[in-house]
């Protein structure tokens, strides 16, 4: 899988990984911990005579990346950092698409094969580094050689389209097969320029995979390609697999070693079942991809105990950005180690525990040093940015003024995803440094100290050319510590930068005598600058006046960092006037916590926000906000008036907004339940089917109208078959969003086979949420589901449930086999605090509380049923405020349960008698619960 939206145009590398880098002498010798090949013994992997099982991760981008503002080679730092993070978490094998790098007609000039049959060996630089560095850590690699999908790194159509063939011809046409094998020969036959070890003879490469998720493989094609690869790499294994299920041809291919199956989402039962099938055929089984969002003890613990599972590979791992924070990726399955959010931290621990459970000893490694990458002073306030380090669970930013003790810039440590912080005090003369924290809160070594001296500081680790303005005759030479800039031909080369108001330049060079600094007013005419060499060996030019500076490297000098200081202009007055925009003063009917917004204040460095209740108590506050909007993480009380205010701050003073404060009132809790779905408005099966659209990624579903015998009303009936994907579902997209704010949850009636899992899924505020109900017993059951039970599904990103805008309702089944789900009377549950107590009536009066005459009737207020918005009634349980799942139904035998059931039936009968008209769906939108690409 690789989900991307990158458009390929005219590509030029920002990262200087060219052929000359391979010929440059590294500063340190490369070593490897991998001295033996991983081998196959029937359906098991072995290493050194012992069973070998992989704790795996996918890092698809190691050779060519799409997450750097376009397609480019990743820096050596990013490769090293992400492999280091994986190593610390017990990852022993990495699956990477770096062996897949093809294009057509130079559409991607950075590919290994930009055009059919034409190769650019410069593109091997990142691959060489990844293989060499993985070996130094003792990690192994699985490398697919092409791809089913047409992503930025290419796929098998690059071997057919240029020949005028269809994509299916890839597996049958001799010309396409010859083209593919020619590419395979070029990759498998590569000799690593850093280590001098041929790829085919490197134990670090555990297996070559015929391709990622190839859908059209045939047995003759598999046999031919396996034989072709093994002739060149007899000591390495060969893998193959397709998306979602087992390709039967892979089981029949005699010489194939590993069958790779992918899961979005995975279940322990299905993985074990597939592993049993594969190993019964005498093959090694791996889950070559599974949604990392599903990495939980419930999934991984039983699989660690299943010896048929030789590897679990989470999709997909990213590390730190070159400048600040963690690299984001938007496919929904991105993860970072040790985790950038609480949910990621939980998944990371599950992955670490899986490694421990299969016998991996996690290395105890000290934290490395972060790098402050910039200090930017704006409006008299400094913002510090830093590049993180592998294994860091958090960071502490420290400041020092003169020779005073170091103090922290923030009251609390910053999280693992942090990379920028504003010093809201920004005292004159402050210097800064950053320390990483491990999971136990122990600090690592401090970064180099940065001295802004009232100006801006830019630190360039020179891993690429993104910050420099010009370079000539230099390249980045790889070494086990990452990389450094050297002169290409060993004689001389230059790197230049341009910044307005430059005052100082410092360059870390291993041979200070082999570097000189020059300045220029126009970037064309250069003059030498006076320099000094610091005690640490850096070359420094101070008192600069021009906007251009460059370093000239001669001989074998290695440049590892450039630090540039420029002047900053502080304001002379406090920020200008600004106004509060949303919510406006005296707004009423607010439901969810608002996105507070205000206009920008001239010369503001940051903003200070406060939210108070009617008594003046601070409910939420924030400092150091650099944007003009903010949504606090706070739940507002219904029917309450609040006031909010903002101040603009700079190094001179503070300006209060206009108006000084604004008030708004939250909407009171609803007292009437909302009917969500009663299935009464569907005239026939076709109408139901057109509204509840099958998720085509799942199993078969047939939608028909059924009956709820408890009420005699119409119900939705969904016959399903879970074969193949392991799930099936239907999705209703509402014609108009529904507002469920203020309700406590959903109440619904359903019937499903005992033991099946029924998942109720909603889309609220544009995010997916779901809860799974374990069906207990037979027959119809009423189930109350509090909103607190809903959470983002495993394949979706983190989100907070805001039920004020609900746009979809879906029902899913998971597991194996076939069955029938019936659903009826989906309504919202009213908070009991919002319901006005009913008149208790006269003792002994039938139908009223206290009479002892049986359950309350449908019109008896809170004791029986409450009105639905519009007309009709809903069950009394719609006022439930429970924090768990409340079940009633045929399995209840107590008098209390019978009374509750009678109340449900009475309410449902009334509901049927006076149905409110449902909103008909006019659009469809199917959540891709199982799609991987």
């Amino acid at each position: 899988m690789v989900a991307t939206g990158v458009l390929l145009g005219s590509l030029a590398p920002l990262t200087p990984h060219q052929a000359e880098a391979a010929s440059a002498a590294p500063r340190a010798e490369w070593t490897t911990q991998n001295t033996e090949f991983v081998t196959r013994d029937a359906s098991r992997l072995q290493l050194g005579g012992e069973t070998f099982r992989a704790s795996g991760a996918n890092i698809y981008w190691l050779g060519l990346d799409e997450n750097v503002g376009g397609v480019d080679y990743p820096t050596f730092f990013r490769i090293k950092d992400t492999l280091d993070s994986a190593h610390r978490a017990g990852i022993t094998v990495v699956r990477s698409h770096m062996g897949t790098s093809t294009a057509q007609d130079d559409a991607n000039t950075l590919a290994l094969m930009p055009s059919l049959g034409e190769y650019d060996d410069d593109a091997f630089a990142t691959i060489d580094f990844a293989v060499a560095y993985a070996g130094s850590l003792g990690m192994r690699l699985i490398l697919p050689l092409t791809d089913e999908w047409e992503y930025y790194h290419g796929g098998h159509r690059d071997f057919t389209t240029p020949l005028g063939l269809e994509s299916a011809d890839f597996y049958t046409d001799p010309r396409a097969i010859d083209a593919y094998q020619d590419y395979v020969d070029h990759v498998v036959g590569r000799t690593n320029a850093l280590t001098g070890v041929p790829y085919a003879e490197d134990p670090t490469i555990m297996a070559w995979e015929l391709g990622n998720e190839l859908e059209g493989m045939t047995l003759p094609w598999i046999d031919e390609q396996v034989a072709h690869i093994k002739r060149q790499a007899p000591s390495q294994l060969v893998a193959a697999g397709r998306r979602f299920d087992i390709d039967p041809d892979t089981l029949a291919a005699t010489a194939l070693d590993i069958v790779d199956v992918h899961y979005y989402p995975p279940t322990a039962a299905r993985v074990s079942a597939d592993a049993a099938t594969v190993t019964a055929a005498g093959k090694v089984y791996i889950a070559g991809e599974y949604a990392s969002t599903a990495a939980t003890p419930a999934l991984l613990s039983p699989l660690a105990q299943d010896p048929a599972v030789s590897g679990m590979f989470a999709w997909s791992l990213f590390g730190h950005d070159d400048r600040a924070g963690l690299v984001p990726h938007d496919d929904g399955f991105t993860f970072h180690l040790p985790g950038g959010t609480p949910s990621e931290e939980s998944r990371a621990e599950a992955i670490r525990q899986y490694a421990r459970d299969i016998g991996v000893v996690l290395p105890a490694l000290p934290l490395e040093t972060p790098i402050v990458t910039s200090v930017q002073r704006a409006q008299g306030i400094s913002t510090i940015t830093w590049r993180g380090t592998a294994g860091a669970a958090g960071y502490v930013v420290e400041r020092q003024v003169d020779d005073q003790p170091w103090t922290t810039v923030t009251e609390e440590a910053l999280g693992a995803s942090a990379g920028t912080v504003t010093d809201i005090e920004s005292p004159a003369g402050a210097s800064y440094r950053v320390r990483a924290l491990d999971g136990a809160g122990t600090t690592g070594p401090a970064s180099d100290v940065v001295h802004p001296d009232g100006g801006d500081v830019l630190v360039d680790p020179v891993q690429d050319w993104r910050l420099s303005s010009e370079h000539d005759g230099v390249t980045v030479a790889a070494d086990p510590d990452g990389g450094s800039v050297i002169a290409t031909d060993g004689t001389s080369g230059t790197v230049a930068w341009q910044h307005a108001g430059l005052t100082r330049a410092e360059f870390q060079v291993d041979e200070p005598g082999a570097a000189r600094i020059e300045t220029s007013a126009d970037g064309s005419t250069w003059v030498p600058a006076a320099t000094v060499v610091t005690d640490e060996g850096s070359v420094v030019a101070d008192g600069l006046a021009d906007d251009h500076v460059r370093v000239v490297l001669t001989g074998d000098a290695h440049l590892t960092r450039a630090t540039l200081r420029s002047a900053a202009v502080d304001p002379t007055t406090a920020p200008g006037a600004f106004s509060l925009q949303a919510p406006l003063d005296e707004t009423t009917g607010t439901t969810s916590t608002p996105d507070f917004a205000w206009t920008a204040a001239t010369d503001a460095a940051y903003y200070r926000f406060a939210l108070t209740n009617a008594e003046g108590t601070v409910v939420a506050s924030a400092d150091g906000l650099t944007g003009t909007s903010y949504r606090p993480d706070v739940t507002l009380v219904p029917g309450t008036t609040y006031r909010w205010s903002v101040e603009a701050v700079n190094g001179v003073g503070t300006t209060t907004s206009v108006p000084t404060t604004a008030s708004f009132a939250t909407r009171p809790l609803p007292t009437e339940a909302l009917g969500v779905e009663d299935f009464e408005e569907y005239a026939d099966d076709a109408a139901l089917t057109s509204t509840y659209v099958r998720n085509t990624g799942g199993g078969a579903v047939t939608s028909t109208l059924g009956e709820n015998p408890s009420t005699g009303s119409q119900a939705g009936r969904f016959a399903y078959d879970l074969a193949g994907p392991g799930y099936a579902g239907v999705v209703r997209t509402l014609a108009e969003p529904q507002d469920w704010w203020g309700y406590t949850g959903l109440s619904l009636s359903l019937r499903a086979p005992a033991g099946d899992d029924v998942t109720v899924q909603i889309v609220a505020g544009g995010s997916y949420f779901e809860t799974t109900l374990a069906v207990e017993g037979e027959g119809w059951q009423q189930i109350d589901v509090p909103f607190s039970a809903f959470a983002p599904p495993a394949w979706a990103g983190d989100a907070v449930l805001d039920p004020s805008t609900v746009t979809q309702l879906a029902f899913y089944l998971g597991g194996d086999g076939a069955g029938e789900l019936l659903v009826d009377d989906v309504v919202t549950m009213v908070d009991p605090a919002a319901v006005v107590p009913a008149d208790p009536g006269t003792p002994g009066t039938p139908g009223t509380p206290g009479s002892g005459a049986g359950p309350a009737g449908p019109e008896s207020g809170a004791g029986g049923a409450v009105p639905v918005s519009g007309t009709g009634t809903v069950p009394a349980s719609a006022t439930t405020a429970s924090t768990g799942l409340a079940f009633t139904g045929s399995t209840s035998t107590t008098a209390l349960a019978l009374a509750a059931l009678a109340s449900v039936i009475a309410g449902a009968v009334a509901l049927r008698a006076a149905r409110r008209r449902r909103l008909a769906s006019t659009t469809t939108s199917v959540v891709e619960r199982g799609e991987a690409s």
Side-chain angles (χ1 to χ4, degrees):
M1 168 177 181
V2 176
T4 114
V6 172
L7 297 177
L8 295 176
S10 177
L11 298 177
L14 293 173
T15 309
H17 300 144
Q18 304 298 323
E20 56 264 26
S23 62
R27 289 194 296 162
E29 292 292 330
W30 286 94
T31 60
T32 182
Q33 295 186 42
N34 297 327
T35 58
E36 297 184 61
F37 286 93
V38 175
T39 61
R40 168 189 165 208
D41 180 13
S43 62
R44 301 291 188 267
L45 296 174
Q46 286 200 327
L47 178 61
E50 301 291 335
T51 297
F52 177 79
R53 298 177 68 195
S55 174
N58 283 270
I59 314 177
Y60 72 86
W61 49 267
L62 292 176
L64 190 61
D65 194 11
E66 57 168 337
N67 301 280
V68 287
V71 175
D72 198 1
Y73 305 115
T75 61
F76 295 139
F77 162 77
R78 282 194 54 216
I79 297 171
K80 176 183 182 298
D81 174 80
T82 308
L83 290 175
D84 282 341
S85 297
H87 178 55
R88 288 170 176 269
I91 301 297
T92 56
V93 183
V94 166
R95 183 174 177 268
S96 177
H97 291 54
M98 61 186 176
T100 301
S101 183
T102 58
Q104 302 171 29
D105 300 324
D106 292 326
N108 180 358
T109 57
L110 306 183
L112 289 176
M113 189 187 80
S115 295
L116 186 64
E118 298 177 6
Y119 299 98
D120 180 5
D121 286 350
D122 294 353
F124 273 111
T126 48
I127 304 173
D128 284 349
F129 181 83
V131 173
Y133 195 72
S136 74
L137 298 175
M139 302 174 75
R140 312 283 174 150
L141 300 170
I142 297 176
L143 305 180
L145 289 164
T146 190
D147 202 325
E148 174 67 22
W149 316 109
E150 296 183 87
Y151 293 124
Y152 75 98
H153 55 231
H156 69 71
R157 290 162 184 82
D158 297 332
F159 302 103
T160 55
T161 302
L163 297 172
L165 302 173
E166 299 298 322
S167 62
D169 296 330
F170 175 69
Y171 303 99
T172 58
D173 191 282
R175 292 171 294 168
I177 293 173
D178 286 346
Y180 170 70
Q181 289 182 350
D182 184 68
Y183 174 77
V184 169
D185 292 346
H186 202 80
V187 175
V188 178
R190 166 76 175 177
T191 294
N192 193 315
L194 298 175
T195 64
V197 178
Y199 282 5
E201 298 175 14
D202 193 338
T204 298
I205 300 176
M206 184 179 88
W208 300 99
E209 190 167 355
L210 300 184
N212 175 59
E213 297 182 341
L214 296 181
E215 295 289 301
M217 292 185 293
T218 65
L219 181 57
W221 185 87
I222 296 172
D223 285 338
E224 180 180 353
Q225 308 321 312
V226 173
H228 184 82
I229 292 173
K230 291 201 169 189
R231 279 194 293 270
Q232 296 186 72
S235 298
Q236 292 167 334
L237 305 175
V238 181
R242 69 184 184 195
R243 185 173 60 154
F244 295 157
D245 59 1
I246 300 169
D247 187 329
D249 287 332
T250 60
L251 302 182
T254 305
L256 184 71
D257 299 298
I258 301 170
V259 174
D260 174 5
V261 188
H262 297 176
Y263 301 90
Y264 296 88
T267 65
R270 187 174 172 211
V271 170
S272 283
D274 286 348
T277 299
V278 170
T279 55
K283 306 296 183 186
V284 171
Y285 166 87
I286 63 169
E289 293 181 19
Y290 74 90
S292 65
T293 46
T296 62
L299 172 71
L300 296 176
S301 293
L303 298 179
Q305 306 306 315
D306 185 346
V309 177
S310 289
M312 294 292 295
F313 292 75
W315 181 278
S316 68
L317 179 62
F318 287 82
H320 288 95
D321 183 80
D322 287 292
R323 301 300 297 165
L326 298 168
V327 174
H329 186 66
D330 61 358
D331 69 358
F333 307 109
T334 297
F335 73 106
H336 306 88
L337 295 170
T341 65
S343 62
E344 274 195 343
E345 291 169 4
S346 174
R347 286 178 256 148
E349 176 53 31
I351 290 170
R352 287 192 296 268
Q353 188 57 51
Y354 175 82
R356 297 185 192 101
D357 289 345
I358 64 172
V360 178
V361 178
L362 273 62
L365 301 172
L367 291 172
E368 295 187 7
T369 306
I371 296 176
V372 174
T373 53
S374 72
V375 177
Q376 293 183 304
R377 190 169 178 85
Q379 312 304 334
I381 301 295
S382 295
T383 297
I384 302 91
T385 301
W386 66 95
R387 186 182 78 180
T389 185
Y395 299 92
V396 174
V397 181
E398 298 175 330
R399 107 167 58 85
Q400 184 185 50
V401 179
D402 299 325
D403 293 325
Q404 298 300 310
W406 286 91
T407 59
T408 57
V409 170
T410 58
E411 293 183 1
E412 297 181 353
L414 302 166
S417 62
T420 300
V421 70
T422 298
D423 183 359
I424 61 176
E425 297 180 14
S426 295
S431 299
Y432 297 96
R433 69 184 186 188
V434 178
R435 293 179 182 271
L437 302 173
D438 64 17
T442 304
T443 57
S447 68
D448 288 349
V449 177
V450 173
H451 308 280
D453 287 343
D456 292 338
V457 175
L458 177 73
V459 180
D460 185 354
V462 287
Q463 287 271 310
D464 54 35
W465 308 130
R466 289 179 178 84
L467 300 179
S468 56
S469 58
E470 184 182 8
H471 63 278
D472 181 52
V474 292
T475 190
V476 175
D479 61 59
D481 295 323
S484 56
V485 173
I486 65 168
T488 301
D489 58 7
T491 56
S492 68
T494 62
V495 188
W497 292 261
Q498 178 183 5
H499 282 278
L502 276 173
T503 60
R504 188 176 191 271
E506 177 178 348
F507 300 97
Q508 290 186 5
V509 186
D510 63 347
E511 298 180 21
R516 69 177 185 270
I517 301 176
E518 298 177 342
T519 63
S520 173
D522 58 6
S524 299
T525 303
W526 297 89
V527 296
T531 60
V532 297
V533 178
T534 67
D535 293 340
E536 293 79 21
S538 296
V539 182
V540 177
D542 220 334
L544 303 181
D546 295 328
D547 291 347
H548 299 262
V549 65
R550 74 179 183 183
V551 59
V552 181
L553 301 175
T554 60
D556 292 330
H558 290 72
L559 171 68
T560 55
R561 193 176 306 176
T563 303
L564 310 177
R565 183 193 300 160
S566 54
V569 179
D570 286 346
T572 57
T573 61
F578 70 105
S579 61
L580 304 182
Q581 288 205 312
L584 292 172
D585 194 28
E586 298 185 355
T587 296
T588 59
T590 300
T591 54
S592 59
T593 302
D595 286 309
F596 296 92
W598 54 93
T599 61
T602 305
D603 294 334
Y606 66 89
Y607 300 92
R608 185 177 293 137
F609 169 89
L611 176 66
T612 61
N613 60 19
E615 289 74 36
T617 303
V618 175
V619 176
S621 63
D623 216 339
L625 301 174
T626 55
T628 56
S629 65
Y630 177 63
R631 185 176 187 176
D633 184 13
V634 62
T635 301
L636 302 183
V637 177
T640 302
T641 298
Y642 294 90
R643 304 196 72 86
W644 69 287
S645 62
V646 177
E647 294 177 331
V649 184
N650 66 16
V652 175
T654 300
T655 300
T656 303
S657 64
V658 177
T660 303
T661 64
S663 69
F664 66 94
T666 54
R667 193 171 72 194
L669 287 174
T671 58
E672 297 181 340
L674 174 67
V676 176
E677 177 63 277
D678 60 17
F679 296 98
E680 292 301 312
E681 85 273 19
Y682 304 110
D684 51 31
D685 296 343
L688 178 67
T689 301
S690 66
T691 300
Y692 280 86
V693 180
R694 172 184 165 245
N695 183 335
T696 56
V701 179
T702 301
S703 302
T704 57
L705 292 171
E707 182 181 8
N708 182 349
S710 300
T711 61
S713 63
Q714 197 163 269
R717 178 167 53 203
F718 307 102
Y720 57 87
D721 186 349
L722 304 177
Y727 74 92
V730 290
V731 181
R732 177 187 176 186
T733 299
L734 304 177
E736 296 292 339
Q738 292 188 3
D739 184 357
W740 297 356
W741 182 87
Y743 295 106
T744 62
L746 291 179
S747 179
L748 69 158
S749 297
L750 64 80
R751 191 189 78 188
D756 276 11
D757 290 337
V758 178
T759 295
V760 180
Q761 182 190 94
I762 62 174
V763 175
S767 298
Y768 288 91
F769 301 88
E770 64 182 31
T771 186
T772 299
L773 318 174
V775 178
E776 300 176 359
E778 302 291 341
W780 281 87
Q781 303 177 44
Q782 179 198 332
I783 302 179
D784 298 338
V785 190
F787 287 141
S788 60
F790 283 83
W795 44 265
D798 294 335
V800 176
L801 177 59
D802 175 6
S804 61
T805 307
V806 179
T807 56
Q808 276 189 6
L809 172 68
F811 300 100
Y812 283 94
L813 283 299
D816 299 306
E820 188 176 83
L821 168 69
L822 284 95
V823 182
D824 196 15
D825 296 340
V826 183
V827 297
T828 57
M829 298 192 300
V830 174
D831 190 325
V835 180
V836 179
D839 186 342
T842 304
T845 303
T848 60
S851 69
E859 302 298 332
S860 60
V866 297
V868 178
S869 299
T871 60
T873 58
V874 296
S877 64
T879 62
T880 299
S882 63
T883 57
L885 304 181
F887 289 82
T888 62
S890 60
T891 56
S892 302
T893 57
T894 64
L896 179 61
L898 290 172
L901 179 59
S903 175
V904 170
I905 294 173
V909 169
L911 182 62
R912 184 184 182 220
R915 295 282 181 180
R916 65 187 300 269
R917 187 165 184 80
R918 296 272 65 81
L919 296 170
S921 175
T922 58
T923 61
T924 60
S925 177
V926 180
V927 52
E928 300 296 338
R929 287 174 57 91
E931 181 168 349
S933 48

